[in-house]
Amino acid sequence: MENIIEIDHLHKAYGKVTAVQDLSFRVREGELFAFLGVNGAGKSTTINILCGQLPKNSGRVLICGKNLETNLDEIKRSLGVVFQSSVLDQELSVRDNLKSRAALYGIAGRAFEARLDALAQMLEFEELLKRPVGRLSGRQRRIDIARALLHQPKILILDEPTTGLDPQTRSILWQVVGQLRKQEHLTVFLTTHYMEEAADADDVVILDHGKIA
């Protein structure tokens, strides 16, 4: 398998506080890759750099063979991201949230309806489409995942996605991840502090104070 993510000597500091220090690793296409570490280890900082949300101080980041510094817009279309905190509009319905997100990728009309139906069945939220997202409680995470998958990304980034989830939703999440990896050869980049989730990964990097332990 080819490398779909390549990180070399990544460094990020906030003033005198170093969040990521000399980080180098590879993620192979189609694998489940896990970043394991306690809160504050540098996992989310690395994720935010990969997504273009944070500038790095130094180092090299290649995603799908493209340099992050010069191909950010193209790279973003290859990524689907489920952040720790939901980015959904709490007042809008599930359908309207996903419809507005899909429009950003030029997905509309029949193409949107087909993708929405597929994701609603996969993540089991068909009966929630008309409900405001803010009233979904723990099931809201399913919509976050659907949002990340709308444009059929090559890489799905899950930043501690199961924290606070009920057992049923957690089970559905991992069933969907497994299904997508088999059917669409999706690469999954997971950050977690749960040992049992990291144990199922093809490759695990343990972070400690911004360094690979």
Side-chain angles (χ1 to χ4, degrees), residues 14 16 29 48 54 80 100 116 121 164 183 193:
Y14 301 94
K16 296 181 179 180
E29 185 179 2
N48 286 326
L54 274 179
S100 62
L116 178 63
Q121 291 180 30
Q183 294 179 354
H193 52 256

Side-chain angles (χ1 to χ4, degrees), residues 1-7 23-37 42-43 46-47 50 154-161 174 177 181 186-192 194 197-207 212:
M1 293 184 291
E2 296 183 358
N3 294 325
I4 196 167
I5 298 175
E6 298 183 15
I7 308 293
L23 201 60
S24 298
F25 61 89
R26 301 287 186 268
V27 179
R28 295 184 299 275
E29 185 179 2
E31 79 174 351
L32 171 57
F33 178 93
F35 243 15
L36 178 64
K43 303 189 302 297
T46 304
I47 290 293
L50 293 180
K154 295 180 180 178
I155 303 168
L156 177 62
I157 296 177
L158 302 172
D159 192 8
E160 299 191 8
W174 289 117
V177 167
R181 290 183 63 210
L186 182 71
T187 303
V188 180
F189 190 112
L190 167 73
T191 77
T192 184
Y194 292 131
E197 290 183 349
D200 292 329
D202 299 299
D203 198 7
V204 180
V205 164
I206 300 175
L207 280 189
I212 294 178

Side-chain angles (χ1 to χ4, degrees), residues 49-60:
I49 292 173
L50 293 180
C51 298
Q53 301 294 313
L54 274 179
K56 57 183 174 59
N57 293 126
S58 60
R60 186 185 72 147

Side-chain angles (χ1 to χ4, degrees), residues 10-147:
L10 185 64
H11 183 89
K12 176 63 181 179
Y14 301 94
K16 296 181 179 180
V17 178
T18 300
V20 173
Q21 185 172 344
D22 197 30
L23 201 60
S24 298
F25 61 89
R26 301 287 186 268
V27 179
R28 295 184 299 275
E29 185 179 2
E31 79 174 351
L32 171 57
F33 178 93
F35 243 15
L36 178 64
V38 299
N39 292 336
K43 303 189 302 297
S44 292
T45 295
T46 304
I47 290 293
N48 286 326
I49 292 173
L50 293 180
C51 298
Q53 301 294 313
L54 274 179
K56 57 183 174 59
N57 293 126
S58 60
R60 186 185 72 147
V61 178
L62 295 181
I63 299 177
C64 298
K66 307 289 185 179
N67 192 300
L68 184 65
E69 290 186 9
T70 55
N71 299 275
L72 180 58
D73 289 340
E74 185 177 353
I75 286 172
K76 282 184 175 181
R77 295 188 68 87
S78 301
L79 302 177
V81 187
V82 179
F83 294 102
Q84 287 186 33
S85 300
S86 178
V87 294
L88 298 168
D89 190 314
Q90 301 295 299
E91 301 300 322
L92 290 181
S93 69
V94 169
R95 172 183 286 276
D96 288 343
N97 262 285
L98 296 178
K99 187 175 183 178
S100 62
R101 178 64 177 179
L104 297 177
Y105 292 95
I107 305 170
R110 293 181 180 178
F112 167 70
E113 295 298 334
R115 187 60 175 160
L116 178 63
D117 287 346
L119 291 170
Q121 291 180 30
M122 191 183 301
L123 289 160
E124 300 182 12
F125 62 83
E126 298 103 315
E127 77 283 3
L128 304 177
L129 289 172
K130 296 181 180 180
R131 294 181 59 177
V133 165
R135 298 181 185 176
L136 297 184
S137 187
R139 290 179 291 181
Q140 185 175 143
R141 207 60 170 156
R142 304 185 193 188
I143 317 306
D144 283 314
I145 296 164
R147 174 189 176 277

